[in-house]
């Protein structure tokens, strides 16, 4: 039931599915630009920052409609916050993508791994969010956030936090995350564009509030074809 992180050919297919201008180019890290942030700064809307295997220390800031692409997928392409900084901040971007990374050990309020804010529209696919604080991925006042084939593992503060946003969640796994309310997913004044489908929620915990796996406050939540195993809450709703 847990999603299989995408191999290279399927990653390329996802990448090609994103719209891009006719003159879009690829910028290779570290061959052309030594750091990811320098590549982002050099890129134009529609470009792809193509990141080679390795471990790259954050923080990174993305405010352009470009794609960050991990060449060898999340097993070999790692963005690391060193338990001291947010890994990636995305703001005011329409039509961007983050594909094929491990995002780990970020440390920041409202999204230690990735923070996506201010009317952004982003696809995040085939990524592993691991051991981030506080939450692996936080989305605030954004629309058309497409999350596909992600794993959230052992994040503190919850796996995914969504506030005032519209989001699609498909084929994701939430394993051993801990949060105040909603160990795996917390929704506030938000909507799931489609049913949360083909997801696995296992060993997540909420303390001291409710929703061991999923917590939804003033939100529209649809669930389909998903599995809940051994999720717990200190207050109510061990699963949802």
């Amino acid at each position: 039931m847990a999603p299989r992180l995408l191999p290279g050919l399927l990653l390329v297919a996802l990448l090609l599915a994103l719209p891009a201008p006719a003159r879009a180019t690829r910028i290779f890290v570290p061959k052309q630009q030594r750091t990811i942030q320098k590549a982002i700064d050099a890129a134009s809307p529609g470009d792809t920052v193509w990141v080679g295997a390795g471990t790259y220390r954050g923080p990174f800031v993305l405010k352009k409609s470009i794609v960050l692409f991990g060449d060898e997928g999340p097993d070999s392409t790692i963005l690391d916050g060193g338990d001291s900084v947010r890994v990636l901040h995305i703001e005011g971007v329409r039509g961007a993508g983050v594909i094929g990374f491990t995002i780990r050990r970020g440390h920041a309020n409202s999204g230690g791994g990735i923070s996506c804010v201010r009317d952004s529209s982003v696809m995040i696919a085939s990524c592993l969010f691991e051991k981030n604080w506080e939450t692996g991925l936080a989305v605030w006042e954004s629309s058309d956030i497409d999350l596909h084939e992600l794993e959230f593992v052992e994040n503190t503060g919850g796996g995914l936090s969504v506030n005032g946003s519209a989001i699609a969640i498909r084929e994701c796994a939430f394993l051993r995350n801990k949060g105040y309310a909603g160990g795996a997913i917390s929704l506030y004044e938000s909507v799931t564009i489609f049913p949360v489908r083909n997801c696995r929620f296992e060993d997540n915990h909420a303390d001291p509030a409710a929703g061991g796996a999923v917590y939804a406050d003033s939100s529209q939540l649809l669930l389909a074809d998903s599995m809940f195993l051994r999720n717990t809450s200190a207050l109510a709703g061990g699963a949802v």
Side-chain angles (χ1 to χ4, degrees), residues 217-234:
D217 183 355
S218 305
S219 297
Q220 178 179 303
L221 169 67
L222 301 173
L223 290 161
D225 302 322
S226 294
M227 181 179 291
F228 293 81
L229 297 171
R230 300 183 303 276
N231 301 283
T232 57
S233 167

Side-chain angles (χ1 to χ4, degrees), residues 53-142:
T55 299
Y56 302 84
R57 284 292 301 269
F60 310 106
V61 177
L62 176 60
K63 295 184 179 182
K64 300 177 181 179
S65 298
I66 63 176
V67 174
L68 299 181
F69 178 72
D71 185 29
E72 297 190 23
D75 289 342
S76 301
T77 317
I78 299 165
L79 309 183
D80 194 308
D83 296 318
S84 61
V85 298
R86 172 176 291 121
V87 178
L88 174 61
H89 177 76
I90 302 173
E91 181 174 350
V93 173
R94 306 291 296 178
V98 179
I99 303 171
F101 296 93
T102 286
I103 297 118
R104 72 183 188 192
R105 300 174 60 210
H107 188 101
N109 292 327
S110 301
I114 294 180
S115 174
C116 185
V117 304
R118 299 186 191 279
D119 199 27
S120 290
S121 172
V122 181
M123 171 193 284
I124 303 176
S126 189
C127 289
L128 167 64
F129 290 80
E130 183 179 32
K131 297 181 179 177
N132 298 285
W133 184 99
E134 169 257 358
T135 68
L137 168 60
V139 179
W140 182 72
E141 292 190 358
S142 292

Side-chain angles (χ1 to χ4, degrees), residues 4-17 50 69-74 99-100 126 149:
R4 180 183 177 185
L5 296 178
L6 298 181
L9 289 177
L10 289 182
L11 281 171
V12 173
L14 265 177
L15 182 62
L16 293 175
W50 199 284
F69 178 72
D71 185 29
E72 297 190 23
I99 303 171
S126 189
E149 294 201 3

